[in-house]
Every structure is written in structure tokens, then in C-alpha cells.
Amino acid sequence: NTFGNNTGFFTQFATTALEFTVNSWLTIDSVTIYPENSGLINIALRTNPGDSLIANRTIEVPSTFTGGAFRVALGISLLPGNYRLAVDPSGTTVSGLGRTSTNTQYPYALNNDIIITGNSSNEPAIYYFFYNWRVTVGDICPRPDSELTVILGTPPSAAFTDDVATGTPGLTGFTVNVDASGSQGGTQFHWDFGDGNTGTGMMTSHTFTANGAYTITLVVTNPCGSDTLTRTITIQGIHVEWNDLVQEINMFPNPTSGTVTISFDMLASRDVQLQIINSLGEVIVFENWKQLAGSQTMQYDISHLSAGAYSVRLSVGEAIVVRKLVKI
């Protein structure tokens, strides 16, 4: 696209920049400038706002230059966002560059992939320096076609969490929620839950129908590559009838800021374990009783623990019941 013709040289490079928005992953291949004379031009691309330097190009206008249009190769690849393109006075020896001061009508758009919205001086009638943009949409990953290519697109990094430690098994299954929002740079998320089932999306859930160890595999992809992360979890407590332990456990007060009372009734003499587990899966309290029977009441002081959600897990053999405890 042609954004106008220059109508005069401007020399105050430090005072203005051309502002634009990128809506697609793309590369600014080249632009046209109108130098006043030969010399060096330091073109700088910065964030908007923030004005952090992303890339710069030092261009030499040769001594044989006699005026008019001068094509500049940039090869700068960008992710969607807001940017500023300017001439950095540092390292620039050209006296001035052509600008347009008449018939300027922002915005200027290239198929909505890139939109030139204005300038940093808030002068709607003036268009600064950079004309006839040539843009390639997509394919911003590393490639050896030009030493001027700046790579801002990178392969993703996979990360995820699960709530197995705080989940509650049922008689027919154990639902696990997984969350890959901690991944970096991903555009697609594929899950393999290790039991023949798969899923997609940054956050999803899956119900396991049998006890055992399962390896969850997350594959995060973007146009520049992929990253894989695996984690093995243990599912237990499914298909267990509570014959030896009354299923309803009393736990009060809940939430609590200090002491919590836990009570339950054993219908027969059995070995019992009780655990209080934090959100990281760390066991804070562990009790192991041999041949426990009858009505049981325990008190625990958790005033020293950090505020948050904890799991109280009571185990009788393979049978497990989990209750949520909130510390305030």
C-alpha cells in the first residue's frame, strides 16, 4: 500500500514516531523512505506504550544517492501488539527525512493485519517517514534467509498443574482438572491422559474410571514448534464401598482460623490413616492408627498454617474419603 507522498524534510527525529497495531503474526519486510542526503539512518522499533527497544536497523544511504525514494530492508518479525517505528537520532547522520503534512487520513490498514493509527506527537495531519510498507503475514519463526531477521516468535514452553491431591474419588470415577495456563507461547494444547483418552484446550478435565498410575502428557504447539511435558499421577479410591467407615465425616469449624475437630464412627475394627495435605501435595499432618473402632474425635491446631485450602484424607485399607478444609 502507498500511504502518500512526502511533502518536506523533517529533522527533529527525537520528537516523533509512527504508531501502529499488529493483529497477526507477521514480518515487516521493507519500507520506503525519502532521505534528504546521504549518510546513516538508525531506524528503531519500540513497544507502545513502554517505549522499550525491540529491534533497530542502521541503514546507509550511499554517497551516490541523488534524492527521491530509497527502499529499506527491515526484516523485523512481530507478534500481535502495539508498536512505534521511529528514527533514532543516535547514530543518524542524514539531515532529514521526507514526511507528509497534507491529506493525511489515519488509520491506514493492510487487510487489518497491520494498522497505522497515528503518530506519537498527536498530529493527525502529519505522516512521518515510512511509506509503501511490504509485509509478510505468518511464518515468523527462525529462518536463514536474511541476516537482518529478528526472531520474536519462539517455540512454546509447556507447564501444567493438576488437582489430584485435593480431588475426591467417587464410586464410578475420579475427575481430575488440569490447567496449562502456566505454559508460555502456546496456541494449541493437546492432552493424553494415559488411559486411551485425550483432550484439548488450555484447561480441561478428565474422569478416570479405574484406580492406578497414569501418565498425563501435555503437548503445547505454536507456529514455531512444540514442547511436551509428562507427569505420572496415582488414582485411588474408585469403586470403594464404605462398609467399615461411616461415609459422612464431621469436620468443624470449617473454615477455621485455629483448631479443627474431626469426628467419625468406625463400624468395625480397622487400621486407619488420616492426612492433612496442602495445595502442593505436601502432607502437613499424618496419623496412623491400628485397629481403630467405635466413635472417634480428634482435634488439630492448624493456626500456624498459611491461609488456603487443604485436603483431609481418611483411609481405611483401599477405601478413601477426602474432605476440603479451609484455613482463614
Side-chain angles (χ1 to χ4, degrees):
N1 273 9
T2 298
F3 297 115
N5 297 313
N6 81 87
T7 57
F9 295 108
F10 188 72
T11 60
Q12 302 299 316
F13 299 132
T15 62
T16 190
L18 204 60
E19 298 182 336
F20 63 98
T21 296
V22 172
N23 294 317
S24 305
W25 293 21
L26 54 77
T27 298
I28 303 176
D29 298 313
S30 60
V31 295
T32 294
I33 58 175
Y34 292 84
E36 186 175 5
N37 57 307
S38 62
L40 299 178
I41 304 171
N42 187 6
I43 298 176
L45 178 76
R46 299 179 181 273
T47 59
N48 182 29
D51 211 35
S52 298
L53 181 66
I54 296 175
N56 68 310
R57 298 285 183 268
T58 299
I59 307 299
E60 181 179 5
V61 181
S63 58
T64 56
F65 176 72
T66 58
F70 187 80
R71 196 70 184 168
V72 174
L74 295 181
I76 299 176
S77 298
L78 296 174
L79 296 171
N82 296 312
Y83 302 94
R84 288 177 172 173
L85 191 63
V87 175
D88 189 336
S90 176
T92 296
T93 60
V94 168
S95 300
L97 285 179
R99 65 172 183 176
T100 298
S101 57
T102 60
N103 300 320
T104 300
Q105 294 183 346
Y106 293 107
Y108 297 100
L110 283 169
N111 299 323
N112 203 46
D113 294 311
I114 184 169
I115 303 173
I116 301 174
T117 56
N119 58 67
S120 60
S121 300
N122 294 316
E123 298 173 301
I126 299 180
Y127 184 94
Y128 285 97
F129 308 147
F130 306 107
Y131 300 86
N132 303 333
W133 294 42
R134 180 173 296 169
V135 172
T136 299
V137 178
D139 186 22
I140 67 168
C141 305
R143 60 187 192 275
D145 59 355
S146 172
E147 64 181 4
L148 293 178
T149 300
V150 170
I151 305 306
L152 296 183
T154 58
S157 175
F160 74 90
T161 59
D162 63 72
D163 63 352
V164 174
T166 57
T168 302
L171 294 179
T172 59
F174 192 130
T175 298
V176 176
N177 298 297
V178 288
D179 182 351
S181 59
S183 300
Q184 300 294 319
T187 57
Q188 293 181 318
F189 303 83
H190 178 81
W191 302 88
D192 186 325
F193 294 102
D195 62 351
N197 292 285
T198 60
T200 59
M202 183 181 293
M203 292 178 286
T204 188
S205 62
H206 175 63
T207 299
F208 295 88
T209 57
N211 297 319
Y214 298 91
T215 298
I216 299 178
T217 302
L218 168 66
V219 180
V220 181
T221 61
N222 71 15
C224 296
S226 65
D227 189 32
T228 301
L229 179 65
T230 62
R231 179 178 302 148
T232 299
I233 63 171
T234 299
I235 300 297
Q236 55 186 349
I238 302 175
H239 300 310
V240 175
E241 297 285 352
W242 286 92
N243 297 322
D244 299 325
L245 177 66
V246 175
Q247 189 168 2
E248 185 63 35
I249 297 176
N250 295 312
M251 186 167 58
F252 57 91
N254 188 18
T256 180
S257 60
T259 300
V260 61
T261 299
I262 303 172
S263 64
F264 54 92
D265 290 327
M266 294 294 300
L267 303 181
S269 180
R270 293 290 187 270
D271 292 346
V272 178
Q273 288 185 348
L274 183 144
Q275 296 173 302
I276 298 179
I277 305 169
N278 66 16
S279 59
L280 299 177
E282 300 169 333
V283 177
I284 306 301
V285 175
F286 178 80
E287 299 276 13
N288 188 18
W289 299 288
K290 297 294 185 180
Q291 298 299 301
L292 203 62
S295 296
Q296 307 295 326
T297 301
M298 294 86 174
Q299 284 190 333
Y300 298 97
D301 183 3
I302 62 170
S303 60
H304 62 288
L305 298 181
S306 301
Y310 295 81
S311 296
V312 176
R313 178 173 295 194
L314 202 61
S315 306
V316 181
E318 288 296 318
I320 299 173
V321 64
V322 180
R323 295 290 183 266
K324 181 179 180 180
L325 172 63
V326 176
K327 167 64 167 51
I328 57 176

